[in-house]
């Protein structure tokens, strides 16, 4: 016989965490797949294919000549920040010929990370322009590759001609704590931005 004091909420944790869609974008070979794989708490979904001769003259391999695979649709992962927040991560393809997918991936996203490579910083302009045109908040995460030129946050900001309020941080996309710090920084930026945005009625 069931207890008269039975509380259905005590039968299990009915708490529903908020889910947020985040894009991880940037140029070809900048480390998007690596970041999703480093931080995802589930086995990440990847759509990588071998780079073949078809890419010759189409994809710019300068600076990433040792890269043998490329994302052709998206990378997908998930990370629980805390009991109240779960992030769903969507890594975008980096080549120009797959940019038609970006509009679809952008739907429902609350923010984005633009990974930048100081060896090919100009490759970040397209992603920056994409998110600025759509009004999607983003931050720049400089992926510090071994042997790559080192620049300060202010130097990167100036080189990319960013809005003064756009965060720029340094990271190692291979390192889980570093990647998580980038996501945490983005969430804090989104919360702060929302708090400063007037509510229209």
């Amino acid at each position: 016989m069931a207890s008269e004091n039975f509380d259905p909420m005590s039968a299990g944790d009915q708490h529903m965490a908020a889910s947020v869609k985040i894009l991880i974008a940037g140029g070809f070979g900048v480390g998007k797949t690596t970041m999703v794989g480093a931080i995802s708490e589930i086995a990440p979904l990847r759509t990588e294919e071998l780079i073949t001769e078809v890419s010759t003259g189409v994809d710019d391999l300068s600076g990433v000549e040792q890269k043998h695979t490329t994302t052709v649709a998206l990378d997908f992962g998930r990370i629980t920040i805390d009991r109240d927040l779960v992030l769903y991560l969507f890594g975008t393809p980096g080549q120009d010929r797959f940019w038609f997918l970006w509009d679809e991936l952008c739907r429902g996203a609350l923010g984005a990370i633009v990974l930048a490579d100081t060896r090919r910083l100009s490759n970040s302009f397209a992603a920056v322009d994409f998110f600025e045109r759509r009004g999607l908040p983003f931050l720049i995460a400089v992926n510090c590759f071994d042997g790559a030129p080192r620049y300060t946050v202010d130097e990167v900001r100036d080189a990319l001609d960013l809005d003064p309020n756009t965060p720029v941080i340094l990271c190692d996309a291979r390192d889980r704590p570093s990647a998580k710090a980038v996501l945490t920084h983005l969430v804090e930026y989104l919360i702060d931005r929302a708090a400063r945005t007037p509510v229209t009625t």
Side-chain angles (χ1 to χ4, degrees):
M1 181 175 176
S3 168
E4 294 180 1
N5 296 322
F6 175 72
D7 179 0
M9 293 298 288
S10 68
D13 186 0
Q14 302 296 316
H15 180 79
M16 294 292 291
S19 58
V20 174
K21 180 180 181 181
I22 299 295
L23 297 188
I24 299 178
F28 180 59
V30 79
K32 300 179 294 295
T33 299
T34 298
M35 175 172 274
V36 173
I39 199 168
S40 180
E41 63 195 17
I42 61 172
L45 169 66
R46 293 173 173 160
T47 58
E48 286 193 306
E49 297 291 343
L50 288 173
I51 295 175
T52 65
E53 293 181 358
V54 175
S55 296
T56 304
V58 178
D59 296 326
D60 182 11
L61 298 178
S62 58
V64 288
E65 291 83 1
Q66 302 305 311
K67 186 173 174 60
H68 301 296
T69 60
T70 183
T71 299
V72 297
L74 59 88
D75 297 309
F76 173 77
R78 183 190 73 201
I79 179 172
T80 302
I81 297 297
D82 58 35
R83 170 172 201 274
D84 298 314
L85 182 61
V86 177
L87 302 184
Y88 291 92
L89 312 175
F90 290 78
T92 65
Q95 309 94 310
D96 293 349
R97 58 197 169 108
F98 294 126
W99 270 59
F100 66 93
L101 294 170
W102 282 47
D103 281 319
E104 286 300 321
L105 291 174
C106 196
R107 294 181 189 276
L110 288 191
I113 294 165
V114 176
L115 273 176
D117 179 353
T118 58
R119 300 169 300 180
R120 298 169 296 131
L121 203 54
S122 61
N123 287 6
S124 302
F125 281 116
V128 168
D129 182 65
F130 179 90
F131 294 126
E132 285 183 341
R133 286 178 180 272
R134 285 155 182 79
L136 186 70
F138 66 94
L139 62 71
I140 301 293
V142 180
N143 192 10
C144 300
F145 286 89
D146 295 336
R150 294 288 192 256
Y151 298 107
T152 67
V153 164
D154 288 338
E155 287 172 331
V156 172
R157 185 187 304 282
D158 290 343
L160 294 177
D161 192 26
L162 297 172
D163 182 283
N165 294 320
T166 301
V168 179
I169 58 177
L170 307 180
C171 74
D172 182 344
R174 303 167 298 182
D175 181 67
R176 180 179 172 82
S178 180
K180 187 172 182 179
V182 172
L183 288 169
T184 301
H185 200 111
L186 176 62
V187 170
E188 292 173 346
Y189 171 58
L190 295 177
I191 293 172
D192 180 67
R193 194 172 186 271
R196 289 186 285 105
T197 301
V199 177
T200 57
T201 56

